[in-house]
Structure formats: structure tokens, C-alpha cells
């Protein structure tokens, strides 16, 4: 199946929308890293910006958590490496928050 040909205006609008989403996601992750917002606050959001963020990237944005620790946390909870936030189940969210609270 071939991709549809997009007009210049439609393509430009899509690029602008994607850039705005990336900017908002960067602001959220930056706020998480600086401690301005907490992980439970981020996980409560129901928008697609947070929902389409990978769990690994979200965990690595937390202060004191790097790639290795994020991988261990995800393995302990049983979260796939490619899982997005919107794909987390309620028990996975609870368990993740419990582990972070007990370690931090």
C-alpha cells in the first residue's frame, strides 16, 4: 500500500504539530528531571504527549536514575523495553511507584 501524497500545506502542518509535541514532551521530561513535577503527576496525565512517551525515557528523566537502573526497574516490574506510558497497566503503575518510593 502506497503512502498518500501530501500537499505542502498539509505536510507543513504535520511538521508543526510534531515539533509542538516534541517541545511539550521535552518540557515535561525537563520538569521531571528538575523535580518541578513528580512521576505520579506525570502518570496521571491522560494526554497523548505523555502516553506516547516510552517508559524507559520517562524513568531516565528522574533524578538519580540512569539507563541501568531504569532497565532493572522495568525488568522487576515486568515492563517491556518498548512499552509506552499509555500501555502500562494499573498494577504496573502501582508497582513502579512503590519501587521508586522504597528506593528513593
Amino acid at each position: 500500500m502506497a503512502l498518500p501524497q501530501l500537499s505542502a500545506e498539509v505536510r507543513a502542518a504535520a511538521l508543526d504539530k510534531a515539533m509542538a509535541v516534541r517541545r511539550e514532551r521535552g518540557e515535561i521530561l525537563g520538569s521531571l528531571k528538575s523535580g518541578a513535577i513528580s512521576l505520579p503527576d506525570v502518570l496521571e496525565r491522560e494526554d497523548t504527549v505523555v502516553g506516547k512517551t516510552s517508559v524507559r525515557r520517562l524513568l531516565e528523566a528522574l533524578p538519580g536514575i540512569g539507563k541501568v537502573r531504569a532497565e532493572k526497574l522495568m525488568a522487576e516490574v515486568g515492563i517491556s523495553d518498548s512499552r509506552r506510558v499509555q500501555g502500562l497497566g494499573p498494577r504496573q503503575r502501582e508497582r513502579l511507584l512503590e519501587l521508586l518510593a522504597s528506593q528513593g
Side-chain angles (χ1 to χ4, degrees):
M1 184 169 161
L3 294 175
Q5 295 293 325
L6 301 177
S7 67
E9 296 83 24
V10 172
R11 179 173 285 159
L15 289 172
D16 288 342
K17 182 179 177 184
M19 193 169 18
V21 168
R22 284 193 299 270
R23 187 177 309 116
E24 186 177 351
R25 185 176 295 127
E27 289 171 0
I28 291 169
L29 294 175
S31 297
L32 192 61
K33 188 159 208 67
S34 70
I37 58 175
S38 66
L39 184 61
D41 293 337
V42 174
L43 291 177
E44 286 177 7
R45 290 181 56 153
E46 296 291 328
D47 60 3
T48 58
V49 174
V50 172
K52 292 190 177 183
T53 304
S54 71
V55 176
R56 173 183 289 279
R57 189 168 175 203
L58 190 69
L59 290 175
E60 289 175 2
L62 291 169
I65 295 184
K67 293 182 180 192
V68 173
R69 191 161 173 211
E71 185 177 327
K72 287 180 182 178
L73 284 168
M74 289 175 64
E76 190 168 338
V77 176
I79 300 172
S80 170
D81 196 40
S82 61
R83 178 70 60 201
R84 306 272 178 198
V85 173
Q86 68 187 5
L88 288 176
R91 290 185 182 159
Q92 288 176 322
R93 288 174 189 248
E94 288 174 21
R95 181 73 177 127
L96 191 61
L97 291 173
E98 288 172 5
L99 283 173
L100 289 170
S102 68
Q103 292 180 2

XYZ file of all heavy atoms in Angstrom:
783
model
N 0.846 -1.177 0.000
C 0.000 0.000 0.000
C 0.887 1.235 0.000
O 1.746 1.409 0.860
C -0.891 -0.027 1.235
C -1.855 1.079 1.299
S -3.026 0.717 2.636
C -3.654 2.315 2.894
N 0.684 2.079 -0.941
C 1.498 3.281 -1.090
C 1.020 4.370 -0.134
O -0.166 4.457 0.198
C 1.411 3.789 -2.523
N 1.958 5.160 0.305
C 1.616 6.292 1.168
C 0.958 7.382 0.342
O 1.334 7.608 -0.808
C 2.874 6.835 1.835
C 3.561 5.905 2.821
C 4.858 6.546 3.305
C 2.669 5.611 3.991
N -0.016 8.079 0.922
C -0.670 9.146 0.160
C 0.271 10.334 -0.030
O 1.124 10.612 0.803
C -1.859 9.526 1.043
C -1.469 9.115 2.406
C -0.575 7.919 2.246
N 0.117 10.995 -1.136
C 0.895 12.201 -1.408
C 0.261 13.363 -0.645
O -0.939 13.602 -0.746
C 0.906 12.507 -2.910
C 1.617 11.463 -3.734
C 3.111 11.437 -3.434
O 3.722 12.466 -3.179
N 3.684 10.243 -3.450
N 1.060 14.058 0.130
C 0.564 15.175 0.921
C 0.912 16.490 0.251
O 1.994 16.640 -0.326
C 1.174 15.146 2.324
C 0.915 13.908 3.170
C 1.652 14.017 4.487
C -0.564 13.735 3.410
N 0.008 17.430 0.365
C 0.296 18.751 -0.172
C 1.297 19.445 0.747
O 1.527 19.029 1.888
C -0.993 19.573 -0.271
O -1.483 19.863 1.019
N 1.886 20.486 0.263
C 2.892 21.218 1.042
C 2.278 21.779 2.323
O 2.929 21.778 3.371
C 3.493 22.331 0.204
N 1.031 22.239 2.258
C 0.387 22.818 3.437
C 0.116 21.747 4.496
O 0.335 21.963 5.686
C -0.938 23.504 3.063
C -0.808 24.689 2.141
C -0.722 24.284 0.671
O -1.189 23.182 0.302
O -0.172 25.075 -0.110
N -0.358 20.589 4.059
C -0.653 19.506 4.994
C 0.635 18.997 5.626
O 0.698 18.739 6.824
C -1.416 18.357 4.276
C -1.568 17.154 5.178
C -2.762 18.852 3.793
N 1.677 18.858 4.823
C 2.972 18.416 5.337
C 3.531 19.409 6.357
O 4.026 19.031 7.416
C 3.963 18.227 4.200
C 5.334 17.795 4.693
C 6.243 17.463 3.567
N 5.804 16.168 3.071
C 6.059 15.700 1.869
N 6.752 16.412 1.020
N 5.626 14.523 1.511
N 3.433 20.713 6.058
C 3.923 21.736 6.976
C 3.148 21.727 8.285
O 3.725 21.879 9.365
C 3.836 23.115 6.319
N 1.827 21.531 8.196
C 1.003 21.477 9.410
C 1.380 20.264 10.257
O 1.462 20.358 11.490
C -0.477 21.431 9.055
N 1.631 19.135 9.617
C 2.031 17.934 10.351
C 3.383 18.120 11.022
O 3.590 17.690 12.167
C 2.062 16.738 9.407
N 4.315 18.762 10.339
C 5.633 19.021 10.930
C 5.536 19.969 12.123
O 6.202 19.782 13.134
C 6.589 19.587 9.876
C 7.056 18.604 8.807
C 7.846 19.328 7.722
C 7.898 17.514 9.428
N 4.691 20.991 11.997
C 4.499 21.923 13.105
C 3.890 21.215 14.320
O 4.297 21.448 15.450
C 3.597 23.085 12.684
C 4.297 24.040 11.732
O 5.542 24.010 11.658
O 3.585 24.812 11.047
N 2.913 20.354 14.060
C 2.275 19.615 15.153
C 3.279 18.688 15.834
O 3.340 18.622 17.068
C 1.095 18.809 14.608
C 0.340 18.055 15.665
C -0.834 17.292 15.057
C -1.534 16.476 16.116
N -2.619 15.665 15.542
N 4.089 18.001 15.052
C 5.097 17.099 15.618
C 6.127 17.874 16.430
O 6.552 17.423 17.509
C 5.782 16.323 14.501
N 6.529 19.032 15.963
C 7.502 19.839 16.684
C 6.915 20.335 18.009
O 7.601 20.350 19.032
C 7.961 21.021 15.838
C 9.171 21.700 16.413
S 10.013 22.916 15.376
C 8.883 23.365 14.134
N 5.638 20.698 18.009
C 4.993 21.157 19.241
C 4.905 20.021 20.260
O 5.137 20.233 21.459
C 3.601 21.699 18.934
N 4.604 18.813 19.800
C 4.522 17.657 20.701
C 5.900 17.356 21.284
O 6.035 17.098 22.484
C 3.942 16.427 19.968
C 4.125 15.168 20.781
C 2.479 16.655 19.658
N 6.944 17.369 20.447
C 8.304 17.115 20.944
C 8.726 18.171 21.960
O 9.361 17.864 22.965
C 9.296 17.079 19.785
C 9.247 15.799 18.988
C 10.435 15.678 18.070
N 10.521 16.747 17.096
C 9.967 16.715 15.879
N 9.296 15.659 15.497
N 10.105 17.733 15.068
N 8.356 19.415 21.700
C 8.695 20.502 22.625
C 7.995 20.295 23.973
O 8.619 20.409 25.031
C 8.295 21.847 22.025
C 8.759 23.036 22.851
C 8.407 24.374 22.195
N 8.838 24.455 20.810
C 8.016 24.566 19.758
N 6.707 24.592 19.932
N 8.478 24.649 18.531
N 6.704 19.958 23.934
C 5.960 19.734 25.175
C 6.510 18.524 25.936
O 6.654 18.559 27.154
C 4.477 19.534 24.879
C 3.642 19.452 26.143
C 2.150 19.332 25.853
O 1.731 19.469 24.700
O 1.408 19.097 26.829
N 6.839 17.449 25.217
C 7.403 16.260 25.855
C 8.748 16.614 26.513
O 9.027 16.189 27.628
C 7.594 15.146 24.835
C 8.062 13.850 25.444
C 8.151 12.741 24.429
N 6.830 12.412 23.908
C 6.520 12.373 22.607
N 7.423 12.612 21.697
N 5.295 12.078 22.231
N 9.562 17.407 25.841
C 10.839 17.835 26.406
C 10.657 18.671 27.664
O 11.419 18.538 28.626
N 9.643 19.538 27.665
C 9.365 20.352 28.847
C 8.930 19.478 30.018
O 9.342 19.703 31.160
C 8.293 21.394 28.532
C 8.763 22.493 27.614
C 7.635 23.399 27.150
O 6.468 23.176 27.540
O 7.924 24.323 26.368
N 8.101 18.484 29.736
C 7.634 17.586 30.799
C 8.813 16.809 31.379
O 8.967 16.713 32.597
C 6.543 16.635 30.269
C 5.273 17.423 29.972
C 6.264 15.519 31.261
C 4.227 16.644 29.194
N 9.639 16.245 30.503
C 10.786 15.472 30.982
C 11.793 16.357 31.719
O 12.385 15.938 32.708
C 11.459 14.741 29.813
C 10.608 13.649 29.152
C 11.332 13.078 27.940
C 10.251 12.560 30.130
N 11.966 17.587 31.258
C 12.843 18.529 31.955
C 12.317 18.893 33.334
O 13.077 18.985 34.299
N 11.011 19.092 33.437
C 10.401 19.391 34.730
C 10.510 18.204 35.677
O 10.713 18.368 36.878
C 8.929 19.759 34.557
O 8.794 20.920 33.802
N 10.408 17.016 35.129
C 10.548 15.800 35.930
C 11.975 15.682 36.453
O 12.204 15.372 37.614
C 10.171 14.580 35.087
C 9.974 13.261 35.787
C 8.849 13.360 36.805
C 9.644 12.191 34.769
N 12.940 15.969 35.602
C 14.347 15.880 35.986
C 14.705 16.926 37.044
O 15.462 16.644 37.957
C 15.244 16.044 34.764
C 16.702 15.764 35.044
C 17.404 15.454 33.753
C 18.585 14.568 33.910
N 18.340 13.222 34.326
N 14.128 18.115 36.926
C 14.436 19.178 37.887
C 13.663 19.032 39.192
O 13.948 19.720 40.160
C 14.131 20.539 37.271
O 12.735 20.715 37.119
N 12.665 18.158 39.213
C 11.871 17.958 40.417
C 10.677 18.883 40.519
O 9.999 18.914 41.545
N 10.396 19.641 39.460
C 9.258 20.559 39.482
C 7.931 19.803 39.497
O 6.949 20.291 40.051
C 9.316 21.500 38.285
N 7.902 18.628 38.886
C 6.722 17.776 38.923
C 7.164 16.369 39.328
O 8.331 16.018 39.189
C 5.967 17.739 37.573
C 6.867 17.255 36.446
C 5.339 19.053 37.255
C 6.151 17.074 35.127
N 6.219 15.595 39.823
C 6.564 14.246 40.282
C 6.086 13.214 39.267
O 5.243 13.496 38.415
C 5.915 13.977 41.644
O 4.512 13.950 41.513
N 6.618 12.003 39.400
C 6.232 10.916 38.499
C 4.738 10.595 38.609
O 4.092 10.407 37.574
C 7.082 9.673 38.751
C 6.830 8.501 37.816
C 7.121 8.886 36.372
C 7.667 7.313 38.217
N 4.151 10.539 39.813
C 2.700 10.291 39.869
C 1.885 11.348 39.117
O 0.886 11.025 38.482
C 2.382 10.317 41.363
C 3.656 9.954 42.028
C 4.737 10.530 41.157
N 2.332 12.605 39.169
C 1.632 13.663 38.432
C 1.700 13.415 36.929
O 0.719 13.614 36.215
C 2.234 15.030 38.743
C 2.008 15.457 40.182
O 1.048 14.949 40.803
O 2.788 16.285 40.686
N 2.853 12.989 36.466
C 3.012 12.721 35.035
C 2.179 11.515 34.622
O 1.529 11.528 33.582
C 4.505 12.510 34.686
C 4.671 12.082 33.241
C 5.306 13.771 34.951
N 2.191 10.470 35.444
C 1.449 9.260 35.104
C -0.063 9.478 35.134
O -0.806 8.741 34.484
C 1.827 8.114 36.038
C 3.234 7.559 35.875
C 3.506 6.485 36.905
C 3.470 7.042 34.471
N -0.534 10.469 35.872
C -1.969 10.761 35.937
C -2.478 11.449 34.679
O -3.668 11.413 34.396
C -2.277 11.641 37.147
C -2.222 10.901 38.455
C -2.463 11.821 39.646
O -2.797 13.012 39.437
O -2.321 11.352 40.779
N -1.578 12.067 33.932
C -1.994 12.762 32.716
C -2.527 11.768 31.701
O -2.003 10.686 31.534
C -0.819 13.531 32.107
C -0.405 14.719 32.947
C 0.722 15.460 32.330
N 0.398 15.890 30.971
C 0.932 16.953 30.388
N 1.796 17.685 31.037
N 0.619 17.259 29.158
N -3.575 12.137 31.015
C -4.230 11.255 30.054
C -4.011 11.703 28.609
O -4.642 11.191 27.706
C -5.741 11.203 30.335
C -6.093 10.601 31.683
C -5.810 9.117 31.749
O -5.933 8.434 30.716
O -5.450 8.642 32.843
N -3.122 12.655 28.381
C -2.925 13.148 27.022
C -1.964 12.263 26.228
O -1.282 11.403 26.775
C -2.442 14.603 27.032
C -1.121 14.770 27.768
O -0.559 13.767 28.214
O -0.663 15.917 27.888
N -1.923 12.473 24.931
C -1.086 11.636 24.074
C 0.386 11.993 24.170
O 1.225 11.176 23.815
C -1.527 11.752 22.596
O -1.449 13.114 22.191
C -2.931 11.234 22.410
N 0.690 13.198 24.638
C 2.102 13.585 24.758
C 2.800 12.674 25.749
O 3.860 12.104 25.462
C 2.233 15.063 25.182
C 3.683 15.421 25.446
C 1.649 15.975 24.130
N 2.224 12.489 26.910
C 2.797 11.599 27.914
C 2.541 10.152 27.516
O 3.416 9.297 27.666
C 2.214 11.889 29.313
C 2.653 10.840 30.318
C 2.643 13.264 29.778
N 1.373 9.857 27.005
C 1.000 8.491 26.665
C 1.918 7.843 25.645
O 2.180 6.644 25.701
N 2.446 8.613 24.732
C 3.302 8.059 23.692
C 4.789 8.139 24.041
O 5.637 7.798 23.224
C 3.026 8.752 22.364
C 1.641 8.400 21.843
C 1.436 8.855 20.448
C 0.054 8.409 19.973
N -0.179 8.758 18.590
N 5.090 8.560 25.249
C 6.471 8.585 25.714
C 6.848 7.191 26.192
O 6.064 6.533 26.856
C 6.630 9.591 26.881
O 6.167 10.866 26.453
C 8.064 9.690 27.332
N 8.058 6.768 25.874
C 8.470 5.441 26.329
C 8.718 5.466 27.834
O 9.162 6.473 28.389
C 9.718 4.970 25.587
O 10.839 5.701 25.988
N 8.414 4.357 28.470
C 8.582 4.253 29.924
C 10.059 4.418 30.285
O 10.396 5.078 31.259
C 8.028 2.909 30.445
C 8.289 2.750 31.931
C 6.550 2.798 30.154
N 10.928 3.826 29.485
C 12.372 3.939 29.736
C 12.809 5.407 29.761
O 13.514 5.844 30.652
C 13.155 3.179 28.680
C 14.661 3.397 28.785
C 15.404 2.705 27.685
N 15.399 1.263 27.848
C 16.227 0.613 28.656
N 17.094 1.278 29.381
N 16.181 -0.691 28.746
N 12.363 6.165 28.782
C 12.745 7.582 28.701
C 12.194 8.362 29.898
O 12.856 9.241 30.438
C 12.219 8.157 27.394
C 12.729 9.522 27.099
C 12.427 9.911 25.681
N 12.831 11.290 25.468
C 12.343 12.059 24.532
N 11.459 11.586 23.689
N 12.743 13.306 24.420
N 10.995 8.015 30.318
C 10.386 8.671 31.468
C 11.184 8.373 32.742
O 11.462 9.275 33.535
C 8.941 8.209 31.619
C 8.070 8.958 32.608
C 7.796 10.359 32.089
C 6.772 8.226 32.820
N 11.569 7.111 32.929
C 12.338 6.740 34.117
C 13.724 7.376 34.101
O 14.213 7.824 35.144
C 12.471 5.217 34.214
C 11.192 4.459 34.548
C 11.450 2.965 34.501
C 10.645 4.875 35.899
N 14.350 7.426 32.940
C 15.679 8.024 32.849
C 15.650 9.525 33.105
O 16.682 10.119 33.417
C 16.299 7.729 31.486
C 16.698 6.276 31.325
C 17.201 5.950 29.936
O 17.287 6.856 29.080
O 17.510 4.765 29.699
N 14.490 10.157 32.986
C 14.370 11.584 33.268
C 14.297 11.863 34.767
O 14.460 13.001 35.192
C 13.140 12.164 32.572
N 14.062 10.826 35.574
C 14.008 11.017 37.020
C 15.405 11.251 37.569
O 16.368 10.629 37.107
C 13.392 9.784 37.695
C 11.917 9.562 37.442
C 11.498 8.188 37.937
C 11.099 10.638 38.105
N 15.545 12.119 38.553
C 16.862 12.366 39.144
C 17.417 11.092 39.790
O 16.713 10.388 40.510
C 16.594 13.433 40.211
C 15.256 13.991 39.909
C 14.513 12.957 39.134
N 18.661 10.786 39.496
C 19.324 9.648 40.114
C 19.066 8.321 39.432
O 19.507 7.280 39.911
N 18.347 8.326 38.316
C 18.083 7.078 37.602
C 18.688 7.181 36.213
O 18.352 8.075 35.440
C 16.571 6.781 37.508
C 16.027 6.552 38.902
C 16.318 5.573 36.623
C 14.594 6.152 38.959
N 19.583 6.248 35.934
C 20.217 6.191 34.627
C 19.679 5.018 33.830
O 18.667 4.412 34.175
N 20.410 4.674 32.785
C 19.965 3.611 31.892
C 19.908 2.258 32.591
O 18.956 1.502 32.432
C 20.880 3.531 30.686
C 20.784 4.734 29.791
C 21.673 4.608 28.588
C 21.515 5.870 27.737
N 22.113 5.718 26.437
N 20.922 1.941 33.387
C 20.992 0.629 34.037
C 19.891 0.481 35.081
O 19.183 -0.528 35.131
C 22.383 0.415 34.665
C 22.421 -0.851 35.485
C 23.452 0.388 33.591
N 19.727 1.497 35.908
C 18.701 1.422 36.957
C 17.297 1.394 36.360
O 16.413 0.686 36.849
C 18.854 2.597 37.910
C 18.012 2.456 39.139
C 18.489 3.346 40.237
N 17.574 3.304 41.342
C 17.352 4.295 42.157
N 18.041 5.411 42.039
N 16.489 4.198 43.129
N 17.085 2.158 35.288
C 15.780 2.144 34.612
C 15.500 0.758 34.048
O 14.375 0.249 34.158
C 15.747 3.188 33.500
N 16.524 0.131 33.473
C 16.353 -1.219 32.925
C 16.018 -2.217 34.022
O 15.145 -3.072 33.855
C 17.631 -1.636 32.207
C 17.545 -2.952 31.495
C 18.819 -3.281 30.742
O 19.474 -2.351 30.258
O 19.141 -4.476 30.649
N 16.683 -2.102 35.179
C 16.407 -3.008 36.294
C 14.992 -2.816 36.827
O 14.297 -3.784 37.133
C 17.424 -2.801 37.413
C 18.787 -3.336 37.091
C 19.750 -3.106 38.238
C 21.141 -3.615 37.887
N 22.111 -3.371 38.965
N 14.568 -1.569 36.958
C 13.213 -1.298 37.442
C 12.168 -1.874 36.490
O 11.202 -2.499 36.925
C 12.993 0.212 37.592
C 13.630 0.890 38.786
C 13.567 2.402 38.634
C 12.963 0.454 40.063
N 12.377 -1.683 35.210
C 11.419 -2.181 34.234
C 11.378 -3.708 34.240
O 10.299 -4.303 34.144
C 11.763 -1.647 32.842
C 11.491 -0.166 32.700
S 12.007 0.526 31.127
C 10.961 -0.340 29.985
N 12.536 -4.335 34.398
C 12.577 -5.797 34.444
C 11.880 -6.326 35.690
O 11.156 -7.320 35.644
C 14.022 -6.275 34.396
N 12.076 -5.639 36.809
C 11.468 -6.079 38.069
C 9.947 -5.972 38.026
O 9.237 -6.807 38.579
C 12.029 -5.269 39.231
C 11.652 -5.809 40.574
C 12.442 -5.168 41.700
O 13.535 -4.639 41.451
O 11.929 -5.185 42.826
N 9.451 -4.954 37.364
C 8.001 -4.758 37.269
C 7.409 -5.600 36.130
O 6.223 -5.894 36.136
C 7.677 -3.254 37.077
C 6.196 -3.027 36.888
C 8.174 -2.454 38.258
N 8.246 -5.993 35.190
C 7.762 -6.772 34.055
C 7.284 -5.903 32.910
O 6.328 -6.249 32.218
N 7.961 -4.788 32.700
C 7.607 -3.863 31.633
C 8.542 -4.104 30.453
O 9.761 -4.114 30.618
C 7.720 -2.395 32.110
C 6.780 -2.151 33.285
C 7.424 -1.441 30.973
C 6.959 -0.802 33.939
N 7.981 -4.273 29.290
C 8.764 -4.473 28.074
C 9.592 -3.222 27.776
O 9.196 -2.097 28.106
C 7.818 -4.756 26.907
O 8.508 -4.723 25.691
N 10.728 -3.430 27.126
C 11.625 -2.328 26.805
C 10.990 -1.324 25.846
O 11.327 -0.152 25.859
C 12.918 -2.890 26.214
C 14.035 -1.879 26.199
O 14.165 -1.128 27.192
O 14.783 -1.835 25.200
N 10.069 -1.776 25.026
C 9.447 -0.895 24.042
C 8.109 -0.323 24.509
O 7.425 0.347 23.742
C 9.228 -1.663 22.732
O 8.369 -2.748 22.958
N 7.739 -0.554 25.753
C 6.426 -0.131 26.274
C 6.335 1.381 26.378
O 7.267 2.058 26.792
C 6.190 -0.761 27.628
C 4.892 -0.388 28.311
C 3.677 -0.959 27.661
N 3.752 -2.412 27.664
C 3.053 -3.168 26.834
N 2.250 -2.629 25.958
N 3.159 -4.472 26.880
N 5.198 1.897 25.994
C 4.884 3.318 26.137
C 4.060 3.509 27.410
O 3.462 2.566 27.919
C 4.088 3.822 24.937
C 4.735 3.547 23.612
C 5.657 4.630 23.257
N 6.324 4.311 21.975
C 7.417 4.902 21.607
N 7.972 5.803 22.369
N 7.980 4.597 20.472
N 3.992 4.724 27.907
C 3.271 5.012 29.143
C 1.797 4.638 29.012
O 1.207 4.085 29.938
C 3.437 6.497 29.544
C 2.559 6.848 30.727
C 4.894 6.801 29.858
N 1.198 4.897 27.860
C -0.224 4.581 27.682
C -0.488 3.086 27.723
O -1.614 2.665 27.965
C -0.747 5.170 26.377
C -0.176 4.534 25.134
C -0.590 5.269 23.876
O -1.237 6.316 23.938
N -0.217 4.731 22.734
N 0.532 2.270 27.539
C 0.364 0.828 27.556
C 0.581 0.191 28.913
O 0.453 -1.023 29.055
N 0.892 0.994 29.924
C 1.082 0.455 31.270
C -0.262 0.115 31.902
O -1.209 0.890 31.814
C 1.798 1.466 32.173
C 3.270 1.704 31.921
C 3.776 2.805 32.849
C 4.068 0.443 32.109
N -0.309 -1.014 32.547
C -1.499 -1.384 33.282
C -1.514 -0.741 34.653
O -0.483 -0.255 35.132
N -2.662 -0.734 35.329
C -2.735 -0.104 36.649
C -1.807 -0.759 37.671
O -1.209 -0.069 38.496
C -4.197 -0.264 37.055
C -4.874 -1.028 35.996
C -3.935 -1.239 34.872
N -1.667 -2.071 37.601
C -0.770 -2.752 38.550
C 0.682 -2.423 38.269
O 1.475 -2.290 39.202
C -0.985 -4.254 38.488
C -2.302 -4.670 39.059
C -2.440 -6.157 39.106
N -3.748 -6.521 39.622
C -4.313 -7.665 39.423
N -3.706 -8.604 38.716
N -5.503 -7.918 39.927
N 1.039 -2.293 37.004
C 2.416 -1.917 36.664
C 2.723 -0.510 37.165
O 3.798 -0.257 37.701
C 2.645 -1.996 35.155
C 2.713 -3.402 34.624
C 2.851 -3.437 33.123
O 2.250 -2.629 32.412
N 3.648 -4.381 32.632
N 1.768 0.389 37.018
C 1.968 1.760 37.505
C 2.150 1.766 39.025
O 3.063 2.408 39.542
C 0.767 2.636 37.139
C 0.683 2.969 35.680
C -0.606 3.716 35.375
N -0.789 3.857 33.954
C -0.734 5.014 33.312
N -0.531 6.133 33.960
N -0.897 5.054 32.010
N 1.266 1.045 39.720
C 1.356 0.989 41.180
C 2.688 0.404 41.631
O 3.341 0.945 42.520
C 0.222 0.130 41.751
C -1.140 0.755 41.683
C -2.223 -0.207 42.138
O -1.908 -1.180 42.862
O -3.394 0.021 41.783
N 3.084 -0.709 41.024
C 4.319 -1.392 41.413
C 5.533 -0.509 41.132
O 6.452 -0.439 41.940
C 4.436 -2.723 40.648
C 5.644 -3.505 40.998
C 5.518 -4.126 42.387
N 6.692 -4.935 42.636
C 7.459 -4.818 43.694
N 7.147 -3.966 44.642
N 8.519 -5.569 43.846
N 5.522 0.182 40.016
C 6.621 1.078 39.658
C 6.744 2.203 40.677
O 7.845 2.512 41.155
C 6.389 1.629 38.264
C 7.524 2.371 37.596
C 8.733 1.477 37.429
C 7.071 2.881 36.236
N 5.621 2.794 41.056
C 5.644 3.871 42.037
C 6.081 3.353 43.408
O 6.808 4.050 44.128
C 4.270 4.540 42.124
C 3.863 5.345 40.891
C 2.435 5.824 41.018
C 4.817 6.504 40.655
N 5.667 2.142 43.774
C 6.096 1.550 45.039
C 7.598 1.326 45.063
O 8.269 1.640 46.062
C 5.395 0.212 45.274
C 3.946 0.293 45.621
C 3.275 -1.075 45.644
O 3.977 -2.108 45.488
O 2.036 -1.109 45.819
N 8.144 0.798 43.983
C 9.589 0.548 43.923
C 10.382 1.848 43.992
O 11.396 1.913 44.690
C 9.949 -0.194 42.626
C 9.636 -1.667 42.591
C 9.890 -2.239 41.210
C 10.460 -2.411 43.620
N 9.908 2.856 43.317
C 10.617 4.133 43.348
C 10.531 4.789 44.710
O 11.480 5.414 45.173
C 10.073 5.062 42.256
C 10.450 4.660 40.823
C 9.679 5.486 39.835
C 11.937 4.813 40.615
N 9.392 4.646 45.385
C 9.238 5.222 46.719
C 10.132 4.502 47.729
O 10.727 5.144 48.604
C 7.794 5.139 47.167
N 10.261 3.191 47.592
C 11.089 2.446 48.539
C 12.582 2.654 48.300
O 13.370 2.564 49.235
C 10.763 0.945 48.458
O 11.175 0.414 47.218
N 12.966 2.969 47.065
C 14.374 3.164 46.769
C 14.809 4.611 46.946
O 15.988 4.891 47.092
C 14.676 2.732 45.337
C 14.552 1.256 45.138
C 14.857 0.843 43.711
O 15.205 1.660 42.878
N 14.731 -0.439 43.435
N 13.874 5.525 46.865
C 14.267 6.919 46.889
C 13.869 7.598 48.128
O 14.241 8.607 48.538
